[in-house]
Amino acid sequence: MKKILLFVLVAMLGAGCKNYLEEDTTGLLYGPNVLATQDGLESALTGAYRGLANQWGYGFIHPSANAATIGSDDVTTHPASNKADWREFDQFNVSTTNQRSGAVYNGCYKAIQGANNVINNYQKTTGTKATIDIIAGEAYFIRAFSYYWLTRFYGNIPLVTVGEYSADLLTIKKSTPAEVYALIVDDLKKAETMLPNTRRDPGRPNVGSAKAFLADVYLTMAGWPLKQADKYDLAAAKAKEVIDNRATYGFALMPTFAEVFANDPAVAILPESVFQINGFTGSSGTANATYGSTTMPGEEGGWDDMFAELNFFRDFPAGPRKDATFRTEFGLGATKIPWQQSLTKHPYYQKWYIKGNLVTSSVSLPSVMMRYAHVLTIYAEAKARGTGGPDQAAYDALNQVRLRGLPAGAKPLTPADGLTAAQFADAVVQERAWEFACERTRWFDLIRLERVEAANAAKSPEDLQPIKAITKANYWFPLPYSDTSINPNLNQ
């Protein structure tokens, strides 16, 4: 923890668009009174964003978070090669020194430290109140976002709300998920009231982003480990607020699924993006490495880091979504080979190819952390599991996502199909599996619904298998050795 909390928020780079990244904030965080100025507060916020976005270092603009979610049934990795860290997740044998796990953990805590500096000082800052409130709203959002990822990955974690290092942090104890979620909900509620309807640039949240994540948090709280079923109604209500005000927040489904993953580096943001972490190739360490090489096969000069599990691919419903999700023939020239004849004998994910099939790990594309389609499925599932079961709006929400992915003329689901509330909710969960394949979503659905064991039991024998029986202890990863080695309380 000392290593994390001694992180200096120099904040020379951020997560926003080009002019934001190039803003000269050097030195703004030095001196005892710097956070009393609006510029200093903005620099602290930039440092928080920086924790979420460092290529190959920490955060979410490289595939560490993807690696950490491949215990699900949609993604696997190479059975040999240099993919040991990846295989640990898919085989449920995650070590305390796993670099992928550490990258997410350290990045989130770096973001939390920067957010804490803003949250603990913004009320004493001089400047334009409206702007200061927005800065604070973004800080509350970032802190909630970071703790949401941390507690879903690690369960019981250190709950740090100070921005400055003290010796007390070397003996901090772990907090329970219930305690962490209480802070997450409170932070997102504050962000709702402080953020603007229009985001300041593509790499920042707005009111709709805060509401959407709050809906997702409520949906998760209703499942394992908290099992607070009353949260289903709250999730549905909050998601409905986003749906009803989508035009105000600038959210919309793209007309076709293929357009969602056109992956054109010249396009800063799509209407479907609810919140994204921007990549930028113009400055050191800020390019996004989640696209391109990491998800391409060796036949195309790729690294074979992640590709589709076989049964998941075979069961995937045919249609434009499947066509845009997977790549089944390989070769950058005129000669192509089918996936069955490739070195790994697996289909790959087209979603992460860069426009033009560029073989690179440095690109100015964002890591989209939530899409508007996600909000629609939150509403549909939460309404089905909550009071009264699914209404027509729930069917409409599900059908918007479902029909976009199926062949033209596909029949929408209607109440006349006779699905029970539980059957409808399960249909939404399955739809989420298809819609968000390889987007770091399926793992969390399996966790909250306690279906990890069943999903892995249904794997193809040709895919990586768990090395031992899966238990609830495998739902969370061990805290990194870098922290547990200096604080024995974190081993308890």
Side-chain angles (χ1 to χ4, degrees), residues 365-416:
L365 279 166
S367 286
V368 178
M369 308 308 293
M370 184 183 289
R371 295 196 276 117
Y372 179 62
H374 199 131
V375 180
L376 292 168
T377 59
I378 292 171
Y379 176 75
E381 183 189 349
K383 191 70 180 72
R385 298 193 193 278
T387 304
D391 56 5
Q392 186 58 52
Y395 276 88
D396 292 343
L398 176 59
N399 281 324
Q400 286 183 63
V401 176
R402 178 175 174 272
L403 294 178
R404 183 177 69 169
L406 295 177
K411 179 182 177 292
L413 290 176
T414 71

Side-chain angles (χ1 to χ4, degrees), residues 65-137:
N66 297 68
T69 60
I70 67 170
S72 57
D73 56 357
D74 56 339
V75 189
T76 189
T77 190
H78 201 291
S81 186
N82 61 344
K83 307 299 183 288
D85 280 352
W86 289 76
R87 287 192 296 274
E88 285 187 4
F89 294 105
D90 207 16
Q91 296 186 300
F92 292 85
N93 189 38
V94 182
S95 66
T96 60
T97 56
N98 187 290
Q99 293 182 14
R100 304 290 176 178
S101 171
V104 175
Y105 184 88
N106 290 337
C108 285
Y109 274 110
K110 289 176 189 296
I112 287 166
Q113 187 194 26
N116 285 343
N117 275 325
V118 174
I119 291 167
N120 295 338
N121 289 279
Y122 79 93
Q123 292 178 326
K124 299 174 286 187
T125 299
T126 59
T128 304
K129 183 179 185 304
T131 302
I132 291 171
D133 284 349
I134 292 171
I135 294 170

Side-chain angles (χ1 to χ4, degrees), residues 428-447:
V428 178
V429 173
Q430 186 59 69
E431 196 63 41
R432 285 163 64 91
W434 308 138
E435 177 71 18
F436 306 116
C438 198
E439 292 183 56
R440 306 171 295 253
T441 298
R442 178 67 169 164
W443 169 251
F444 296 123
D445 282 348
L446 295 177
I447 291 286

